[in-house]
Structures are given as C-alpha cells and as structure tokens.
Amino acid sequence: MNPLDQAADQFSSFPPLQFIPYPPPPNPNPNPNPNPSPNNASNTAIQNPNLASTNLLSFTVPKKRRRGRPQRKATSFLLPPIPNITLNGNNGPISSSISSSTTSVLASSFGPNVQNTNLLTQRVSDTTDEIIVINKESTAEALIALSAGFPADSLTEEEIDARVVPVIGGIEQVNYILIRNHIIAKWRENVSNWVTKEMFVDAIPKHFHVLLDSTYNYLVSHGYINFGVAPAIKEKVPAEPTKPSVIVIGAGLAGLAAARQLMRFGFKVTVLEGRKRAGGRVYTKKMEGGNRVCAAADLGGSVLTGTLGNPLGIVARQLGSSLHKVRDKCPLYSLDGKPVDPDMDMKVETAFNRLLDKASRLRQLMGEVSVDVSLGAALETFRQVYGDAVNDEEMNLFNWHLANLEYANAGLLSKLSLAFWDQDDPYDMGGDHCFLPGGNGRLVQALAENVTILYEKTIHTIRYGSDGVQVIAGSQVFEGDMALCTVPLGVLKCGSIKFIPELPQRKLDGIKRLGFGLLNKVAMLFPHVFWGTDLDTFGHLSDDPSRRGEFFLFYSYATVAGGPLLIALVAGEAAHKFESMPPTDAVTRVLQILKGVYEPQGINVPEPIQTVCTRWGGDPFSLGSYSNVAVGASGDDYDILAESVGDGRLFFAGEATTRRYPASMHGAFLSGLREAANMAHYVNARTLRKKVDRSPSKNAHSCASLLADLFREPDLEFGSFSVIFDRKNADPKSTAILKVTFSEPRKKSHDGSKPDQQHSKKLLFQQLQSHFNHQQQLHVYTLLSRQQVLELREVRGGDEMRLNYLCERWGVKLVGRKGLGPTADSVIASIKAERGNRKPASTALALKSGTSKLKTGILKRKMVRKAKIVRSSNGSTAPANSNVVNGKVPGETRTAEETRTTDQMLLDTLGSGQNQGEMLKK
C-alpha cells in the first residue's frame, strides 16, 4: 500500500491552537543575545517594574539550535496582557463615558509603559466613539496573530509600506490591529472555510467599514488568510485567467504556493521544473520490499517546526491530517554502544548552552568586529578557557552538540557568522516540532493539484526587461509578463542560470555572502521495528571531531511512515565527505552503529530490505540543502535576495529570501505567498499607469535597496533619530532624510520634562516603543530640510518630545522606507554620488542591521580597538581597517592553524581566561 495515497479521512483532525498563561520564570541575568528576541521579554519585565508587575502570558518557543534534539526546558515567550473587551448593550462601540475595560485595552495597545491611567482617560475621553470594541477575547486573538507573524500591538513594516492606515499611531491604528487580529482568529477557527468580509460587518460599525475593507483586503492579498487547498478555497480560482501570464521557475514549496495564489488572483500561470517531480528539496520516496512492507521516507525537508503558526500545519489541517509531535526523549549512545550517563549528558548540555550564551555576550562586546568572526572560533576559545569538557567522553558529548548545531544551520561552525548565525530566532513561530504522517509529499501533491507544471525543463537563461520576460530551457523559449525565480541559493551561487541583463551587483554580492550548507541522510527500511516505538530520536557519539556529524542522529519514522523506517542524519564536514562515500560503505557503517547499540541488549539487528543515500550536494537542481548566515553576511542579505529586478518583471522566492524563516519549509511557502502579493501589486500599478515607489530605479539602486546602506553611516545621530544629507550642498533649506528607529527601551530623560508637560504624541511613542517592537527594529522615515533637522536635534525632553515636535508642530507623517516616494529618489542619488567621491575615513566593516544598537562606553571602545589587532604567529599585526582575517577573506575555509590564530585573537580581545570570566560575569 502506498502511504501517499491514503484517504484524508483516515487521519484525525489537526488539534486547535492552545495558549496557556503562566508566570514567567525568574531571570536575574541580562540576556547576552544582541538580537532582540522573544525570550528577552522576561529580562524586559525585570528592567521595567510596570511590566514585571503584570500577569504576563507565555508559550514555548523552540530555539533553532534545538532542531535536532528537542529542548529539555521550555523557553517562555512573554506577552503583556490584553484584557477582554465586552460590548455594551447595543452591540456597538461604547459611548459617552469611557469604561475601565476600554482604558485597559488602550493602555495595553499603547504599550506597557503607560503609567498614568487618568492621563490616558483624559487623552481618549474625547475620542471614545472612535474605539472599536469587538466581542472577543482580545488576548487570545493577539496571540494567534502573533503566531502568524504579527506583533500584537503594532504594525509590521510590510503593513506600513502597504499604508493600511493613513497615519502611524493613534486610534485608527489601534482599531486596525483589533480588526486584523479578530479576522486572523476567525480564519484559524475553521481553515477549511473561506472567510468573507461580510462575516464582520455586524461587529464593526458602518463608519469603520472603510477600515474593515483595508484590513480584510490586505490579509487576503498577502496570503495571511484564505490560503491552502481546502475545497472552499479551490473554488475561488477563476475558470479562465483574466490577468497577464506568469512563469514560475521551480515547483518547490515556494513556487507551488505562489502559483496557487496567482491562479486565484486570475493570472495565467506556467510552472517550469527541472526535475521529473514537484517538491524540490521536499521529497517523499516510497520504499518497499517483500511481504508488503513499505514506508514513506522524507529524504529532504522532514520536520515541521513551530507548528503554532506554521502555514503548512494549516494545509495539513485542511487535508484532515494529524501531526505527530516529535517526542522529547532522545537518548545518546557512546562509542561502545552504552547509553550516556544522564547526569553527564545534562552537565555537558548545560555547559554547551552556557558557551552559546557567552558567545552571544562576546559579540556584544566586540561590536563591528564580530561580523568577521565565526561562531566556531568563539565556542572553541571559550571551551578551552573554561574547560567545560574535561575527559574524552565529555569531549565526545560536546562534539555531538556541535554536530547538532551544524545540522540546524546546514553549515560548518567555522563558516557561521558569530554576529548573525541566529538572527531568525526572534521570529520562531512557537509550538512543537512535528512529522506529517505519510510524509510531506502529501503537501506537495495537494499543492501541485490543477497547477500547470512542465517537468524536465532545465532553465539556463532568463531575460527580463520593461516589456516582459523570456525564460529559456534548452531550445524552448517561454514568454510571460513576469517571472518568479524560486531556484535554491546553491543554483544561484554556481551561476548555471544566465540573467540578461546581469543581476544588480548588490544582489550578486548578497548571493555570494550568504552560506548554503549541506545535510544528507541514509534511509533504511527494515523487516520489523527492532528499536522500539517509544521514541522518535536517538543519537550516537563519535571520537573523531571531523566525523562528529556522521550518523550522529537517528529519526524513527515507524509511527508515521507506514512501516519500519529509520533515517540516519549526516551533518557538518561529514556531510561533504558523505557525497563521495560508496552507498554500501555508508550502510555498513550505520549497521555497525546500530548493532553496537542494540545487540548488547539482546536485540538482533536485521539487514535492511531497502536503503537510500541522499546526495543533495551533487544534485544539480539544489547543490546543497538550505541557507545560513555565513561569516561576513547578515539577515540583510535575505532581504536583498528577495528584491525584485527589472521594474517589477523578475521576482525571487524561496527559503533563502526570507530573513524571518530561512532554512525551513514554511519559510519557502510563505515567501511564495509574499511574492504573489508583490507581483499582483506591480500589475495593478502598471494597469493604473502609476509609478511604483518600491520598484528599482534605472541604475538598479532604488530607495528600498540603498537607504539601509546609506544609513549605516549617518551624517547625524541623536537619540533614536539619524539623518543623511548631501554634504556638498550647504543650503540650510536643502533636503535631508530622517530615520526614526524604534527598538530597545531607552532610559527616561529628565532634562526639563515635567509631568504637566505630557503630550498626546507620548502615547504614540510609547506604542511604537512597546514590547513587540523590542523584538524587532522598526524604521520609519520622512523628508526634512537641514535647518529643521538641526532644530529637531535641539528639542529638549528626549525622543518623546522630539517625536511630538515632529508630528504635532510640523504635522509630519512618518512612512516606511518604500513609501518616501519619487521625491526621495534624487536626494538618495545625490547622497550616493557625494559619498562615492569622499575619501574613505575607515574601511572597517559597519555592524549590519539586525543587531540591536550597543551602548557606547569606555569598555566597548577598548574592546573594539583591541580586537581589531590580529596578531599572527610571527608577531606581526594586521591593519585595524582590514577586512581580511588571518589572510583569508570572510567566508573562506580556515585551516586548523588559522582557527587557532582566530582563537588567539578572541583571547587577546578579552584578556586572560580569568579576566574574561570576570568581565562576562559583569
């Protein structure tokens, strides 16, 4: 029997989302991770007495470093409470007198720092009629929206760019967020139904229906609701296309998600796939032998991570499939096959996690220098200094955890960026790691249904221009209005596809900087389950560091694959060597390990009926497994890869184009939905003959692509404000671009500010500085004259007063980076040209965005100066402004000697081991 053909009704329904409130665990130590993470919330609560005194809500978030082995302890994701809202008797908005319930929800919406309830009541008393009150439990709705990727009390940059509300902040934004969260929660109640706008008309007063239209249209067009394979959703695909033709290159999850969404929008879609099958790096193979023994083996993407908000979990739910939680039990076995002592296991795991925390602290102290240092060098340095692993078995255990980390990132630790290797952790969706019974091929099969896919079409050229695109496969030419390229990063890196014209240098550099790693598997179908069905994973140690990732982890699929299936993983350096290992040798080695573990227990290990060894590195349609942040790269590079080119003709999707969810199946799927929305946006703009602000300019550098680069070296900074301008133009009326950054909480300023000087825009500032904007930086912009900038800098009272001065006195509206419009293009171009003619003041790399700003101080300045001096073995030093580390450009493979030199640099940076420990304790 083929497990892929099993009827949907054989699986129980997908369990509903559950959010369990409980007090946060105490955490007296500052979180060393410079990336603003959801787990920093507990630390924030301690720093903020107001927040600490509230009853915070929490749910578990598995860290990326735990992809292979489940966490022993749940990590809390904390959310400030949003009280229930109850309707008044007429089922409409509350009237003249403001209620305590509304005051509470406004306080929550405007952030946890609102201290003066009387002031808040005073501020909103005259706008009570503008507050929408929805008869739903708002905390649960906020948490559901959070799991879908939305902050519970603020806007995403995507929403700002889409101009879902005319003004950032204020009552209308609060209403939008309440409606948004309510619609998402309604969709999640039954994902097999099509959620219509009419479902919410009765709950929303008529004079807010324009806002309801904006909210609903945004969620539908961007694929946050009404997506997937349910019959009610498939019925919405028009019988005949009414919009231009689109060519999708690649039938992986990104390509299939985009194709289905574009078809529903009315586009004519053709998918070109180089393989003989759909799915790309998601591949479920049917394995079978005699006596009707068979199983479905996931040879590519296998684990659904973070299932609380995972869109693939929703697709599985639409198919009627239950998800099997990967159980926490994961015993480890030594070289001799004996189980590792649990106390020793816990000791080494605790030490390993402590080293990761110290590495996070180190990158804070090192500042910009950490961009060119690998995670592996930092961990090895700390291990040697602190001596966390002392005997051989503990060292083998430590190496097992390193292999697990390399598996999670599909990359060698010596190539992973110390600064940004875990930059996506703050966006983990939360929930269990799960297997889909019957394999993920069921998802692929459902998504590919009724999609026009042409197989065995190997693309070698893509032409794009103002008139459309041409995609060339062999001697065939496919023409379309637009094209979506979803090929893996490995294919882009090798240059097997020629782009005419060539891709912008910015994109080529991003492709080069990002890492693309390797993971391989050995799938074995046995006559029976000899290893038991009480666990889903178990591990095996190695005494050779270079082979630490060789069959280090086993996945048992016996409970979900339809047969006795066992899969051994090969990660890190061993995954590359595995590519050239004869399959018979690989299987022999795996069987030796299994016999060493089970035969001493009196259990006979039979010969497998069928085996399959993957070779993802040698596959010409992937050339690797999934992306990671290599030394010299950052999360920005994912955004760069996602940028469209050719004035909205050529688009890019795939797991390597999403900085929030890279290296994951759901990341690929979501990127497809994202680009479907972008492509529809461009077509609508062209139809209306309007200039699209976000499209690249003729010199291939648009506002969207250049602004972040220019603001890495602002001409002026004060508080949360930074400014760039053309230094050659001394006219005080010349235009400057102002950026406001909302990120980590800042100390309150007491420079003349008194309680009676409170202003309405303080609520706006507190909203944007709220809990969820601590997790991810938000940048908004405006255009001012240089004279206004200088005047703004002199405003006393800190950032809140400056924001009030900007918005109240001048009536300035802050917009997303892509909303500055064509006026900013010439300003950006002149600044770019002027900076190009400047003499370089320093060639040291600026710390890329994605890491929260570090506090300036004597310690940091000393650390950076000291770390810039790289001592070589002959006593010479590398220049402080050099981008080269130990004679190697960032990202190159380092020899053992070079790694020791890098370790020495880290030691020199922090001084002796004793001093290092003292400093990190401080």
Side-chain angles (χ1 to χ4, degrees):
M1 183 183 69
N2 186 352
L4 300 180
D5 296 332
Q6 292 177 12
D9 57 9
Q10 291 181 355
F11 297 92
S12 58
S13 60
F14 185 75
L17 298 176
Q18 295 182 355
F19 298 92
I20 304 173
Y22 59 90
N27 180 15
N29 299 319
N31 194 311
N33 191 342
N35 292 316
S37 147
N39 302 324
N40 289 358
S42 59
N43 188 34
T44 304
I46 293 170
Q47 295 174 358
N48 187 334
N50 272 339
L51 186 57
S53 64
T54 62
N55 181 23
L56 297 180
L57 297 165
S58 174
F59 61 91
T60 61
V61 178
K63 302 294 282 184
K64 177 180 178 181
R65 67 191 189 207
R66 298 297 184 196
R67 176 174 291 174
R69 191 184 200 188
Q71 285 191 160
R72 295 176 185 272
K73 293 183 178 180
T75 303
S76 298
F77 188 110
L78 303 175
L79 174 72
I82 304 176
N84 295 339
I85 310 174
T86 55
L87 290 172
N88 62 355
N90 60 6
N91 198 33
I94 53 177
S95 55
S96 57
S97 61
I98 189 167
S99 69
S100 60
S101 174
T102 302
T103 303
S104 299
V105 75
L106 283 175
S108 177
S109 296
F110 279 112
N113 297 323
V114 177
Q115 300 179 14
N116 193 331
T117 305
N118 294 331
L119 172 65
L120 179 61
T121 305
Q122 176 186 350
R123 294 300 177 195
V124 300
S125 61
D126 58 341
T127 60
T128 302
D129 290 339
E130 299 180 18
I131 307 301
I132 296 176
V133 183
I134 303 175
N135 190 20
K136 279 289 181 179
E137 208 286 314
S138 53
T139 299
E141 293 187 345
L143 285 167
I144 292 173
L146 180 67
S147 72
F150 289 98
D153 60 350
S154 61
L155 303 181
T156 64
E157 184 176 326
E158 185 183 61
E159 289 174 299
I160 294 173
D161 291 338
R163 299 174 184 174
V164 292
V165 292
V167 180
I168 297 174
I171 299 302
E172 190 167 19
Q173 176 174 312
V174 174
N175 288 334
Y176 167 82
I177 291 169
L178 290 172
I179 296 173
R180 178 196 72 191
N181 295 355
H182 182 54
I183 294 176
I184 293 173
K186 183 70 173 178
W187 152 249
R188 293 292 184 86
E189 286 177 6
N190 188 344
V191 294
S192 294
N193 286 344
W194 179 272
V195 173
T196 66
K197 185 168 52 181
E198 287 67 33
M199 294 178 179
F200 310 97
V201 169
D202 292 339
I204 309 297
K206 289 184 178 180
H207 55 285
F208 285 111
H209 284 185
V210 173
L211 184 60
L212 172 60
D213 290 345
S214 171
T215 311
Y216 178 82
N217 292 339
Y218 173 80
L219 293 175
V220 171
S221 65
H222 286 74
Y224 289 107
I225 63 173
N226 295 342
F227 65 84
V229 296
I233 295 169
K234 291 190 285 187
E235 291 173 359
K236 297 295 182 179
V237 177
E240 295 293 333
T242 58
K243 293 185 178 180
S245 61
V246 174
I247 300 172
V248 176
I249 304 165
L253 289 178
L256 294 177
R260 296 193 73 85
Q261 192 80 332
L262 289 168
M263 288 168 59
R264 193 176 62 74
F265 291 163
F267 287 89
K268 181 182 179 181
V269 180
T270 302
V271 180
L272 305 180
E273 169 57 48
R275 307 177 194 272
K276 297 180 181 180
R277 59 171 179 82
R281 286 167 282 169
V282 177
Y283 177 33
T284 303
K285 178 178 175 59
K286 180 182 179 181
M287 300 181 66
E288 56 189 340
N291 300 323
R292 298 181 180 179
V293 176
C294 64
D298 276 321
L299 301 181
S302 57
V303 182
L304 296 182
T305 57
T307 50
L308 285 180
N310 195 317
L312 295 177
I314 290 176
V315 176
R317 187 174 169 185
Q318 292 171 337
L319 293 174
S321 299
S322 61
L323 295 181
H324 174 80
K325 177 184 179 294
V326 180
R327 288 167 286 187
D328 294 344
K329 183 179 179 182
C330 182
L332 301 182
Y333 295 94
S334 299
L335 293 171
D336 57 7
K338 295 180 180 178
V340 172
D341 178 70
D343 292 336
M344 181 183 296
D345 188 3
M346 180 64 73
K347 171 188 173 183
V348 174
E349 183 173 347
T350 301
F352 177 77
N353 290 333
R354 187 164 63 246
L355 292 187
L356 281 178
D357 291 339
K358 292 182 186 301
S360 296
R361 177 62 175 159
L362 173 65
R363 62 187 174 190
Q364 282 186 305
L365 299 175
M366 293 180 71
E368 64 185 28
V369 181
S370 66
V371 173
D372 286 327
V373 176
S374 74
L375 174 65
L379 290 178
E380 179 60 20
T381 299
F382 280 126
R383 188 194 65 78
Q384 292 178 2
V385 170
Y386 286 92
D388 285 306
V390 291
N391 60 39
D392 289 343
E393 187 168 12
E394 288 178 339
M395 190 66 232
N396 294 339
L397 263 172
F398 181 79
N399 280 324
W400 187 93
H401 285 287
L402 294 179
N404 194 40
L405 196 59
E406 290 180 321
Y407 158 48
N409 293 275
L412 304 179
L413 296 183
S414 60
K415 293 187 177 182
L416 289 181
S417 167
L418 170 63
F420 301 112
W421 71 275
D422 58 347
Q423 61 86 35
D424 58 312
D425 268 359
Y427 312 112
D428 196 302
M429 288 180 168
D432 298 321
H433 291 187
C434 296
F435 294 142
L436 176 65
N440 295 317
R442 298 187 61 195
L443 302 176
V444 173
Q445 187 178 34
L447 292 170
E449 182 183 358
N450 297 327
V451 177
T452 301
I453 306 175
L454 303 181
Y455 295 103
E456 297 185 87
K457 303 297 180 186
T458 303
I459 309 304
H460 58 79
T461 304
I462 300 175
R463 297 178 184 269
Y464 60 96
S466 58
D467 296 332
V469 296
Q470 288 184 335
V471 180
I472 305 174
S475 59
Q476 291 182 286
V477 179
F478 299 89
E479 295 186 342
D481 188 69
M482 298 178 294
L484 174 62
C485 181
T486 71
V487 302
L489 176 60
V491 175
L492 293 176
K493 279 181 171 291
C494 82
S496 60
I497 297 178
K498 182 179 182 180
F499 293 89
I500 303 176
E502 181 60 277
L503 295 177
Q505 190 61 44
R506 168 184 174 84
K507 188 177 285 285
L508 294 175
D509 291 342
I511 291 171
K512 184 177 180 180
R513 281 191 297 264
L514 275 180
F516 195 66
L518 187 59
L519 173 74
N520 276 312
K521 300 181 177 182
V522 177
M524 297 162 290
L525 179 66
F526 288 94
H528 59 272
V529 180
F530 63 84
W531 58 90
T533 58
D534 61 333
L535 50 81
D536 297 311
T537 57
F538 60 92
H540 183 263
L541 309 187
S542 171
D543 59 351
D544 183 352
S546 67
R547 298 175 63 181
R548 64 193 180 202
E550 184 180 85
F551 317 125
F552 81 103
L553 186 67
F554 289 78
Y555 275 146
S556 169
Y557 284 85
T559 56
V560 294
L565 180 70
L566 198 61
I567 291 183
L569 302 185
V570 191
E573 185 178 347
H576 294 270
K577 295 179 179 178
F578 183 80
E579 293 275 323
S580 58
M581 180 185 295
T584 53
D585 293 354
V587 173
T588 299
R589 172 67 180 142
V590 174
L591 290 176
Q592 286 176 348
I593 293 174
L594 293 174
K595 290 178 180 179
V597 170
Y598 287 100
E599 287 187 349
Q601 304 176 35
I603 299 173
N604 179 55
V605 177
E607 289 295 314
I609 299 173
Q610 185 184 8
T611 61
V612 177
C613 297
T614 66
R615 297 283 189 271
W616 288 107
D619 186 329
F621 299 111
S622 61
L623 298 176
S625 298
Y626 40 91
S627 64
N628 55 57
V629 185
V631 173
S634 79
D636 290 350
D637 292 313
Y638 288 107
D639 290 337
I640 293 172
L641 262 66
E643 292 171 357
S644 62
V645 298
D647 193 22
R649 297 292 180 177
L650 179 59
F651 298 78
F652 294 84
E655 59 85 15
T657 69
T658 168
R659 77 184 296 162
R660 289 191 174 196
Y661 313 112
S664 65
M665 291 184 289
H666 62 271
F669 183 87
L670 287 170
S671 74
L673 298 180
R674 177 199 71 210
E675 291 311 306
N678 287 339
M679 296 169 87
H681 168 72
Y682 272 93
V683 168
N684 292 338
R686 279 196 287 267
T687 302
L688 297 173
R689 300 179 184 276
K690 290 183 177 180
K691 178 180 176 62
V692 183
D693 294 340
R694 61 168 294 183
S695 62
S697 57
K698 292 182 180 179
N699 64 357
H701 291 291
S702 66
C703 165
S705 63
L706 268 181
L707 214 50
D709 288 341
L710 294 176
F711 267 104
R712 288 193 179 115
E713 296 183 10
D715 296 299
L716 193 63
E717 283 187 287
F718 45 94
S720 297
F721 299 78
S722 52
V723 184
I724 57 173
F725 50 78
D726 186 349
R727 293 186 184 180
K728 287 186 177 180
N729 191 346
D731 184 357
K733 295 183 180 180
S734 62
T735 304
I737 302 178
L738 174 76
K739 180 177 78 171
V740 187
T741 300
F742 297 97
S743 56
E744 55 186 319
R746 304 180 187 278
K747 294 182 179 179
K748 294 185 178 180
S749 175
H750 300 286
D751 50 351
S753 177
K754 297 179 181 179
D756 58 358
Q757 294 175 325
Q758 302 286 350
H759 47 78
S760 61
K761 284 296 175 180
K762 179 175 181 180
L763 298 179
L764 165 61
F765 184 81
Q766 288 170 333
Q767 179 185 19
L768 293 175
Q769 285 285 69
S770 67
H771 173 74
F772 286 94
N773 284 326
H774 299 164
Q775 299 167 23
Q776 49 183 302
Q777 288 188 337
L778 174 66
H779 305 296
V780 286
Y781 304 84
T782 191
L783 300 178
L784 297 176
S785 69
R786 291 179 64 171
Q787 183 175 347
Q788 286 176 310
V789 168
L790 296 176
E791 183 178 342
L792 183 65
R793 183 180 62 173
E794 300 305 317
V795 172
R796 301 295 299 275
D799 290 343
E800 296 173 5
M801 292 299 294
R802 292 190 185 104
L803 191 66
N804 174 69
Y805 197 86
L806 187 69
C807 299
E808 292 285 351
R809 180 160 180 173
W810 290 340
V812 168
K813 292 184 178 180
L814 299 171
V815 298
R817 66 177 182 175
K818 299 161 192 168
L820 285 172
T823 309
D825 288 347
S826 59
V827 179
I828 293 173
S830 63
I831 297 173
K832 167 76 174 171
E834 183 268 328
R835 289 193 176 184
N837 294 329
R838 286 187 203 171
K839 293 182 179 180
S842 171
T843 58
L845 285 177
L847 184 63
K848 300 181 189 294
S849 61
T851 301
S852 55
K853 292 183 178 179
L854 304 179
K855 296 181 180 179
T856 57
I858 297 175
L859 176 63
K860 177 196 167 186
R861 290 194 294 270
K862 285 183 178 179
M863 294 299 301
V864 172
R865 282 199 299 269
K866 193 170 184 181
K868 284 183 179 178
I869 302 175
V870 184
R871 293 177 171 82
S872 63
S873 58
N874 60 7
S876 61
T877 60
N881 64 352
S882 174
N883 279 350
V884 180
V885 179
N886 299 333
K888 293 281 185 180
V889 296
E892 281 193 11
T893 304
R894 294 176 172 83
T895 64
E897 183 62 34
E898 290 164 342
T899 302
R900 284 194 292 272
T901 307
T902 305
D903 294 347
Q904 185 60 47
M905 180 193 76
L906 295 174
L907 290 173
D908 290 343
T909 300
L910 296 175
S912 67
Q914 181 178 1
N915 293 335
Q916 178 186 14
E918 292 299 319
M919 178 156 55
L920 289 174
K921 289 177 183 177
K922 294 178 182 178

